[in-house]
């Protein structure tokens, strides 16, 4: 039998092995042959042999070098011959196929991939009596592969390069078998969480399992009990052999980490059908804290396991074959996968657990306004961790069914601005036509979908968020139109009633505020992603300062004023009916609900004003490099940056000519005056931030930026580096949106 035929027969045996349930898989090559023979008739075996002969390639090579050069002698250098049956598509395919630089199937043919049964028969893969240091090395390598998969690589090039993961039920070592089965279950749950949340793109995650079965025959309870039994057995060995007790505990802690993590995922997945109680969520947080206690032990014992060999792609000397799944990969440009370092993998797992703890706090968000803030803050902290972002969305959105989400939005609008039609003691709420109109507004699928998608977008990575926000603004334009129609109808109904309140555009204000938040995030994310050139900062900060933050402050002030007016009307009604008690006469003035939020946005407005006027001073002094006039059209750039706002009627997009007019008016001032005005803005922003009680980390970072920029602007106003034409440096290391200005 030729080498090709032998390879095909070997692969057919591997396929037969993979087709069996895990408990019944034959473990030796002889048993595999018997199984194949017992499942086939003599005729079927003959057909298979014939099929192998048919599929065996036969080569008849012919040297066409002379004919080739004769055919191309009339072609000039760089000239191509085109034929209707051989176009550009065929030419590109011909270039890619069988090319080691482009075809993944042609890579690394010098070394034959090591397979499970071959490695076992050659003694390169131990199934039993593994040393403790070997177990630690394999466990740490599998964790590293799992982390590498979570960072966007494929399962075929990460986790399934571990040969133990191919046939875990063939492993005789109890702890290793239990660990591999639990990793299968963890992988399955991670896929389910991420695909259910659906906040990933192809650069974030590859969900394909490449036809590997994630062992559905092993139940969650069985996987956890296997790990627990292995832990107990190792603990007994540690007591009987004190000299090996320490390294055994290092093995146990890795098994325990997998078991607790699997139990957490099993518990959280139940939310898909049954909401978890507060006690159950507290138990999840307690288990996450237990995982954090295990991390230091894992970190300090990494060097106690077997270490990867130098200049090798395998993360561990035994049990891994990086090229074993090469044939499963599509024939595209070969992607090199570097398995994450073990120290970095443990750090990733520690940060993941911290993020999952934070995600569990989302259950305390009582309405859409606080939930949206939580999602935005979490997105800034989670970075590129897809699993934690998916888990946040899974936990939060499974608190509500599709029907209850509409009730949740109504409650959010009620808390934000208290529309009279949603207040039980208001006359408008007893109007059946008005209530039916409100129900139609919230039950209208596109309206609900817009708010639903806004939360979902906050779960994507930062780059994809910006792209999706631009399309979401089109949906907000439609939602604003619906809210305006509803407010108009309710205003007419309120005018007919004898209500003492004056109806405001409540639903329009509620929708407008959410829309303004999306616009703010869209513009600021461009600074974080470094999409703007320095000469574009001028109109970006101008738009934020002159319009956007002003609109946000105005909408919050409007909602706050209406809420306080409603409270006064309720109090007056109580007085009129004599329901007010004597103690309420000394009632203190009610706190303003959006006082903190208004102050924060006013501070951001002043910070943007400082950048706008400071940049204008730099332009005045010629310190900002401008693109060549022949290649530049500022109006086109301006329209491109703010194009997503064009679909909105409220607030309307500010045209370019208005920016140009305001800039020309500002440029009439001297550069010293502009720097001084910028310093005043930074000082005002600093003063407002310092007046906010209990500032969070975000506010403190912005406060540092304002302090430094205030000093820089004052120095420039007093003539520092007056004759310099060097462009200032904008350092975003202090804050992702607002840089520190450095003038060399």
């Amino acid at each position: 039998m030729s080498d090709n035929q032998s390879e095909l027969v070997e692969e057919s045996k591997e396929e037969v092995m993979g087709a069996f349930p895990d408990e019944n898989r034959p473990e030796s090559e002889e048993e595999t042959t018997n199984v194949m023979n017992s499942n086939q008739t003599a005729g079927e075996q003959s057909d298979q042999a014939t099929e192998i002969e048919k599929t065996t390639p036969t080569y008849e090579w012919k040297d066409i070098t002379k004919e080739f050069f004769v055919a191309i002698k009339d072609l000039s250098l760089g000239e191509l011959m085109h034929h209707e049956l051989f176009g550009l598509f065929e030419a590109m395919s011909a270039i890619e196929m069988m090319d080691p630089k482009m075809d993944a199937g042609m890579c690394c043919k010098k070394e034959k991939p090591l397979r499970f049964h071959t490695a076992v028969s050659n003694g390169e893969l131990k199934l039993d009596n593994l040393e403790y240091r070997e177990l630690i090395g394999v466990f740490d390598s599998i964790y590293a592969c799992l982390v590498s998969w979570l960072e966007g690589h494929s399962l075929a090039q990460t986790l399934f390069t571990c040969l133990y993961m191919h046939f875990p039920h063939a492993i005789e070592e109890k702890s290793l078998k239990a660990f591999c089965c639990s990793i299968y279950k963890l992988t399955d749950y991670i896929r389910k969480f991420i695909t259910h949340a659906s906040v990933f793109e192809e650069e974030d995650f590859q969900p394909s399992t490449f036809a590997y079965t994630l062992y559905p025959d092993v139940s969650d309870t069985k996987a956890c009990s296997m790990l627990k039994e292995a832990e107990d057995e190792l603990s007994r060995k540690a007591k009987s052999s004190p000299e090996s007790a320490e390294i055994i505990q290092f093995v146990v802690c890795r098994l325990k980490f997998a078991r607790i993590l699997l139990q957490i995922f099993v518990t959280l997945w139940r939310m898909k059908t049954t909401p978890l109680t507060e006690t159950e969520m507290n138990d999840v947080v307690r288990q996450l804290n237990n995982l954090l206690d295990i991390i230091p032990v894992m970190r300090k014992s990494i060097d106690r396991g077997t270490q990867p060999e130098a200049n090798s792609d395998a993360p561990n000397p035994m049990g891994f074959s990086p090229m074993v799944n090469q044939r499963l990969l599509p024939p595209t440009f070969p992607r090199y996968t570097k398995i994450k370092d073990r120290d970095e993998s443990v750090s990733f797992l520690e940060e993941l657990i911290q993020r999952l703890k934070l995600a569990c706090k989302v259950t305390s968000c009582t309405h859409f306004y606080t939930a949206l803030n939580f999602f935005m803050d979490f997105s800034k902290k989670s970075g590129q961790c897809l699993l934690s972002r998916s888990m946040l969305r899974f936990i939060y959105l499974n608190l509500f069914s599709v029907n209850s989400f509409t009730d949740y939005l109504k409650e959010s609008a009620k808390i934000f601005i208290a529309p009279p039609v949603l207040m039980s003691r208001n006359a408008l709420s007893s109007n059946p036509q008005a209530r039916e109109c409100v129900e139609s507004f919230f039950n209208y699928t596109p309206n609900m979908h817009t708010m639903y998608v806004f939360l979902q977008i906050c779960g994507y990575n930062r780059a994809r968020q910006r792209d999706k926000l631009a399309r979401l603004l089109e949906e907000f334009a439609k939602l604003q139109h619906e809210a305006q129609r509803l407010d108009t109808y309710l205003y007419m109904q309120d005018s007919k009633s004898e209500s003492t309140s004056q109806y405001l555009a409540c639903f329009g204000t509620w929708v407008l505020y959410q829309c303004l938040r999306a616009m703010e995030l869209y513009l600021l994310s461009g600074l974080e992603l470094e999409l703007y050139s320095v000469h574009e900062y001028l109109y970006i900060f101008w738009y934020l300062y002159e319009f956007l933050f002003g609109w946000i402050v105005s909408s919050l002030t409007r909602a706050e004023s209406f809420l306080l007016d409603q409270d006064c009307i309720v109090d007056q009604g109580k007085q009129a009916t004599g329901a007010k008690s004597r103690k309420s006469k000394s009632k203190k003035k009610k706190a303003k609900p959006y006082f903190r939020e208004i102050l924060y946005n006013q501070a951001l407005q002043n910070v943007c004003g400082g950048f706008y006027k400071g940049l204008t001073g730099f332009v005045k002094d010629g310190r900002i490099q401008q693109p060549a006039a022949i290649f530049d059209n500022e109006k086109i750039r301006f329209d491109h940056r703010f194009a997503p706002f064009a679909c909105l009627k409220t607030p309307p997009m500010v045209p370019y000519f208005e920016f140009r007019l305001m800039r020309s008016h500002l440029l009439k001032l001297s550069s010293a005056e502009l720097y001084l005005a910028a310093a005043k803005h930074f000082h005002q922003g600093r003063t407002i931030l310092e007046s906010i009680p209990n500032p969070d980390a975000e506010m403190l970072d912005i406060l540092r930026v304002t302090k430094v920029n205030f000093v820089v602007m004052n120095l420039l106003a007093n003539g520092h580096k007056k004759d310099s034409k060097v462009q200032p440096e904008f350092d975003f290391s202090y804050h992702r949106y607002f840089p520190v200005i450095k003038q060399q």
Side-chain angles (χ1 to χ4, degrees):
M1 184 181 292
S2 66
D3 292 341
N4 290 328
Q5 290 175 325
S6 300
E7 185 176 352
L8 287 171
V9 171
E10 182 66 27
E11 289 185 0
S12 66
K13 291 179 181 179
E14 294 274 358
E15 291 174 0
V16 170
M17 295 282 287
F20 277 85
D22 300 320
E23 294 84 353
N24 302 326
R25 280 183 177 157
E27 299 181 359
S28 67
E29 188 172 349
E30 182 179 355
E31 291 179 9
T32 305
T33 306
N34 293 335
V35 169
M36 293 173 64
N37 292 335
S38 64
N39 289 335
Q40 294 176 330
T41 62
E44 289 173 340
Q45 293 179 18
S46 176
D47 292 341
Q48 183 184 14
T50 305
E51 185 67 23
I52 292 176
E53 291 179 2
K54 290 181 180 179
T55 56
T56 303
T58 55
Y59 301 105
E60 296 182 3
W61 298 103
K62 181 180 179 181
D63 189 355
I64 60 169
T65 306
K66 293 182 180 179
E67 290 84 349
F68 175 76
F69 281 107
V70 169
I72 66 169
K73 66 179 181 179
D74 295 330
L75 296 176
S76 303
L77 184 63
E79 188 178 0
L80 298 175
M81 181 177 289
H82 177 74
H83 190 272
E84 60 181 3
L85 298 180
F86 193 82
L88 178 62
F89 178 80
E90 289 78 12
M92 293 302 296
S93 300
I95 292 172
E96 291 178 3
M97 291 172 60
M98 309 299 288
D99 185 350
K101 296 189 296 298
M102 297 297 291
D103 191 344
M106 295 300 295
C107 287
C108 302
K109 283 294 185 180
K110 298 179 182 178
E111 182 180 347
K112 188 176 180 180
L114 189 65
R115 299 187 180 276
F116 179 85
H117 295 290
T118 305
V120 172
S121 61
N122 293 343
E124 299 181 50
L125 194 68
K126 296 167 66 175
L127 300 181
D128 197 7
N129 299 321
L130 276 78
E131 299 177 11
Y132 296 124
R133 65 183 188 88
E134 292 176 331
L135 286 174
I136 293 175
V138 172
F139 291 169
D140 286 348
S141 300
I142 291 177
Y143 277 130
C145 290
L146 183 67
V147 169
S148 300
W149 173 53
L150 289 175
E151 290 195 331
H153 296 289
S154 67
L155 276 172
Q157 292 180 291
T158 53
L159 202 58
F160 292 145
T161 61
C162 177
L163 299 179
Y164 286 116
M165 297 294 294
H166 292 196
F167 298 96
H169 285 286
I171 303 171
E172 299 176 14
E173 178 67 42
K174 195 170 186 178
S175 59
L176 181 57
K177 178 179 180 179
F179 185 81
C180 290
C181 289
S182 67
I183 292 296
Y184 261 113
K185 300 300 294 183
L186 282 173
T187 304
D188 188 31
Y189 272 108
I190 289 171
R191 284 182 66 254
K192 289 194 290 189
F193 279 122
I194 292 177
T195 53
H196 185 272
S198 188
V199 290
F200 68 93
E201 298 288 345
E202 60 181 357
E203 68 267 20
D204 294 320
F205 184 68
Q206 297 188 36
S208 174
T209 60
F210 295 90
Y212 279 93
T213 303
L214 299 183
Y215 289 94
D217 56 313
V218 179
S219 65
D220 302 330
T221 305
K222 182 179 179 181
C224 292
S225 62
M226 289 170 64
L227 286 168
K228 184 62 177 174
E229 290 173 8
E231 292 175 40
D232 295 340
E233 183 177 327
L234 287 172
S235 297
R236 288 192 293 271
K237 289 182 180 179
K239 292 178 181 179
S240 61
S241 56
E243 67 280 358
S244 303
E246 184 183 25
I247 194 170
I248 292 176
Q249 288 303 319
F250 294 152
V251 178
V252 170
C253 77
R254 285 159 171 79
L255 295 171
K256 187 177 180 181
F257 188 92
R259 176 175 59 82
I260 296 177
L261 188 60
L262 179 58
Q263 289 173 343
I264 290 172
F265 285 170
V266 171
T267 302
L268 291 176
W269 184 251
R270 280 174 33 215
M271 295 184 69
K272 193 167 183 284
T273 55
T274 307
L276 297 183
T277 63
E278 184 178 355
T279 304
E280 290 174 321
M281 288 302 300
N282 291 336
D283 186 58
V284 168
V285 174
R286 181 185 58 79
Q287 289 179 313
L288 289 171
N289 286 325
N290 292 338
L291 291 180
L292 290 176
D293 295 336
I294 298 174
I295 289 291
V297 182
M298 293 176 61
R299 180 179 284 112
K300 75 176 184 180
S301 59
I302 288 176
D303 58 345
R304 298 294 297 271
T306 54
Q307 301 299 312
E309 298 176 350
N311 302 321
S312 174
D313 292 334
N316 197 63
M318 182 182 69
F320 290 83
S321 178
M323 305 301 296
V324 68
N325 296 316
Q326 197 67 20
R327 290 191 176 184
L328 299 180
L329 301 177
T332 58
F333 184 79
R335 298 175 178 86
Y336 174 73
T337 301
K338 175 67 176 175
I339 303 299
K340 205 169 183 65
D341 183 77
R342 296 182 187 181
D343 286 319
E344 295 177 356
S345 300
V346 173
S347 298
F348 180 94
L349 291 173
E350 182 178 19
E351 294 170 1
L352 172 64
I353 301 306
Q354 293 282 12
R355 288 190 288 264
L356 292 180
K357 279 183 60 181
L358 180 60
C360 291
K361 294 181 180 179
V362 75
T363 54
S364 62
C365 295
T366 55
H367 59 94
F368 187 84
Y369 174 70
T370 56
L372 185 61
N373 288 335
F374 188 95
F375 270 71
M376 288 182 174
D377 292 339
F378 190 89
S379 176
K380 297 172 186 175
K381 297 174 183 176
S382 63
Q384 300 302 317
C385 180
L386 173 63
L387 179 57
S388 59
R389 289 187 276 116
S390 300
M391 195 68 75
L392 170 67
R393 185 171 184 271
F394 177 85
I395 292 173
Y396 187 71
L397 295 182
N398 277 287
L399 295 175
F400 312 97
S401 64
V402 176
N403 294 327
S404 63
F405 191 75
T406 59
D407 298 330
Y408 172 72
L409 289 178
K410 283 192 288 186
E411 186 65 22
S412 174
K414 180 180 177 180
I415 294 173
F416 180 77
I417 197 171
V421 71
L422 297 180
M423 308 304 291
S424 58
R425 295 184 179 180
N426 193 282
L428 193 59
S429 64
S430 59
N431 187 323
Q433 291 83 5
R435 292 193 63 85
E436 183 180 357
C437 200
V438 171
E439 291 294 330
S440 299
F441 173 77
F442 281 103
N443 289 325
Y444 185 49
T445 303
N447 295 348
M448 185 183 67
H449 182 71
T450 302
M451 295 298 185
Y452 188 87
V453 169
F454 196 6
L455 278 177
Q456 183 183 26
I457 286 175
C458 295
Y460 282 90
N461 65 55
R462 306 294 284 173
R464 289 291 181 172
Q465 279 183 26
R466 191 173 189 274
D467 179 50
K468 294 179 181 298
L469 282 170
R471 285 174 279 178
L472 181 68
L473 290 174
E474 298 179 6
E475 301 302 320
F476 265 117
K478 301 173 185 177
L479 183 56
Q480 284 181 348
H481 178 67
E482 294 293 329
Q484 183 180 4
R485 291 177 57 192
L486 176 61
D487 284 327
T488 303
Y489 178 79
L490 293 176
Y491 175 78
M492 295 172 61
Q493 295 296 320
D494 190 52
S495 300
K496 297 177 183 178
S497 66
E498 298 178 356
S499 175
T500 57
S501 65
Q502 182 64 37
Y503 183 81
L504 189 71
C506 297
F507 292 103
T509 304
W510 176 64
V511 172
L512 173 62
Y513 178 70
Q514 315 305 335
C515 180
L516 291 170
R517 294 296 303 277
M519 295 171 68
E520 173 196 354
L521 184 59
Y522 176 81
L523 283 184
L524 291 177
S525 62
L527 293 165
E528 180 184 4
L529 298 171
E530 301 180 7
L531 300 180
Y532 308 134
S533 299
V534 175
H535 60 269
E536 294 183 286
Y537 289 171
L538 182 63
Y539 46 75
I540 297 297
F541 284 113
W542 168 80
Y543 206 101
L544 290 166
Y545 164 63
E546 291 285 0
F547 299 98
L548 199 50
F549 281 117
W551 275 87
I552 292 175
V553 171
S554 176
S555 61
L556 285 171
T557 305
R558 191 179 193 184
E560 183 179 76
S561 175
F562 193 76
L563 284 173
L564 296 176
D565 289 344
Q566 290 291 96
D567 290 340
C568 291
I569 293 171
V570 172
D571 291 341
Q572 291 173 4
K574 289 181 179 180
Q575 289 179 359
T577 57
K580 186 175 181 182
S581 65
R582 295 179 181 178
K583 292 182 179 180
S584 64
K585 292 181 180 179
S586 60
K587 190 176 182 180
K588 295 182 179 179
K589 187 178 180 180
K590 291 187 178 181
K592 296 182 178 180
Y594 301 123
F595 176 74
R596 181 185 178 92
E597 193 73 16
I598 290 173
L599 282 181
Y600 179 59
N601 281 281
Q602 286 176 340
L604 295 184
Q605 185 178 17
N606 277 281
V607 171
C608 292
F611 282 112
Y612 165 53
K613 294 183 179 178
L615 285 162
T616 307
F618 289 133
V619 172
K620 181 86 173 180
D621 285 343
R623 301 190 190 190
I624 301 294
Q625 289 183 341
Q626 301 293 334
I630 191 173
F631 301 115
D632 181 52
N633 188 317
E634 190 177 57
K635 183 179 184 304
I636 293 178
R637 285 191 283 108
F638 182 94
D639 293 340
H640 172 70
R641 291 304 183 192
F642 303 107
F645 303 163
C647 61
L648 298 170
K649 292 185 179 180
T650 308
M653 177 181 169
V654 186
Y656 170 72
F657 76 84
E658 189 166 342
F659 161 71
R660 187 172 179 178
L661 181 65
M662 297 179 70
R663 180 182 59 180
S664 61
H665 177 73
L666 199 61
L667 285 172
K668 293 178 181 179
L669 302 175
S670 65
S671 58
E673 292 175 315
L674 291 170
Y675 295 140
L676 187 60
K680 290 180 179 178
H681 277 296
F682 285 123
H683 177 70
Q684 184 66 20
R686 170 187 174 181
T687 304
I688 295 174
L689 288 171
E690 288 176 341
S691 68
I692 299 177
N694 301 321
D696 55 22
E698 180 91 359
M699 295 177 182
L700 294 175
D701 290 340
I702 300 175
L703 186 60
R704 292 176 58 194
V705 172
T706 58
K707 290 178 179 179
V708 177
N709 287 345
F710 170 72
V711 175
V712 173
M713 290 295 108
N714 270 325
L715 289 173
L716 293 172
N718 292 327
H720 179 68
K721 300 283 186 179
K722 184 176 181 179
D723 299 327
S724 174
K725 297 298 180 183
V726 178
Q727 180 168 285
E729 179 185 351
F730 296 89
D731 184 6
F732 286 90
S733 61
Y734 292 83
H735 193 270
R736 62 176 61 85
Y737 300 145
F738 305 112
V740 167
I741 302 174
K742 298 179 179 180
Q743 180 64 60
Q744 301 295 334

